Amino acid sequence: MSGLHGVILTTFETHKDDRGALSEIFRESWPTGVKPVQWNWVSSNANVLRGVHVHVQHLDYLMCINGEMLLGLSDVRPESSTKGRSEFITLKADEPCAVTIPEGVAHGFYFAAPAQILYGVSHYWQTVDELGCRWNDPGLGLDWPTRAPHLSERDATAGDYQHMLDAYIAGRAKLARGAQ
């Protein structure tokens, strides 16, 4: 369950027998709020943090398929009823479910131990829709359980929260004018 407007948690029904288990992970008819056009598989080592990122255009539909992931969320949408709120959701492979993250909800993924995630996106990946800020910026309101995570070069050198917020608002205005 999420307290952020537009963040949807979809639990999966698992069918088990003596061979193993099967879970449907996506149906177009489910109320996920997203119709993925691209799927990505990510493997992370222990103490990896990916993000924090926010998208102007695309939605994410993500699930943990091996291990466990801590998902940090922070609502930056000016018009949202939950603007400024933050939360963590733990996703576990042995409790199969997916989370839909709408545009304007900043998010980061932390892996205390090796894990794998699978995620679909509503629009094809492009750098102009990949805004970000420092993972530990106080503006996010996220108190991560690590002080020295392993980061990508991009995430390690990301700007501050206000810069990300300004870029998000400018990107939305540009998108509303019909520019890409």
Side-chain angles (χ1 to χ4, degrees):
M1 185 79 161
S2 172
L4 301 183
H5 180 73
V7 174
I8 300 169
L9 185 63
T10 303
T11 56
F12 303 142
E13 183 177 348
T14 300
H15 306 277
K16 295 180 179 178
D17 64 21
D18 59 353
R19 299 168 299 166
L22 179 137
S23 297
E24 293 182 356
I25 61 170
F26 182 81
R27 281 188 173 216
E28 190 175 324
S29 62
W30 292 351
T32 61
V34 62
K35 294 186 179 185
V37 297
Q38 177 181 336
W39 288 90
N40 303 308
W41 171 74
V42 177
S43 178
S44 294
N45 296 322
N47 198 38
V48 165
L49 196 148
R50 297 177 182 271
V52 169
H53 304 144
V54 69
H55 311 297
V56 174
Q57 190 170 26
H58 85 249
L59 289 76
D60 291 312
Y61 178 76
L62 74 108
M63 63 206 71
C64 187
I65 58 173
N66 185 27
E68 183 175 314
M69 174 187 79
L70 183 64
L71 171 64
L73 301 166
S74 181
D75 190 347
V76 304
R77 299 167 293 181
E79 76 288 351
S80 174
S81 61
T82 55
K83 176 187 179 285
R85 290 192 197 164
S86 302
E87 67 182 24
F88 286 105
I89 298 174
T90 300
L91 298 178
K92 300 177 180 178
D94 60 356
E95 296 174 13
C97 67
V99 175
T100 301
I101 305 170
E103 65 276 343
V105 174
H107 50 279
F109 314 144
Y110 177 66
F111 305 91
Q116 298 173 338
I117 62 171
L118 180 69
Y119 68 99
V121 293
S122 64
H123 293 76
Y124 292 110
W125 187 88
Q126 50 182 317
T127 55
V128 296
D129 195 29
E130 288 288 327
L131 309 173
C133 74
R134 285 190 314 269
W135 63 280
N136 59 354
D137 190 296
L140 292 167
L142 295 170
D143 187 16
W144 296 97
T146 181
R147 296 295 172 248
H150 182 76
L151 303 167
S152 70
E153 177 68 24
R154 175 182 165 228
D155 292 338
T157 59
D160 65 17
Y161 175 83
Q162 189 60 51
H163 179 78
M164 178 184 74
L165 182 59
D166 292 345
Y168 170 73
I169 292 170
R172 283 178 30 147
K174 188 176 180 180
L175 189 63
R177 291 190 309 267
Q180 293 260 338

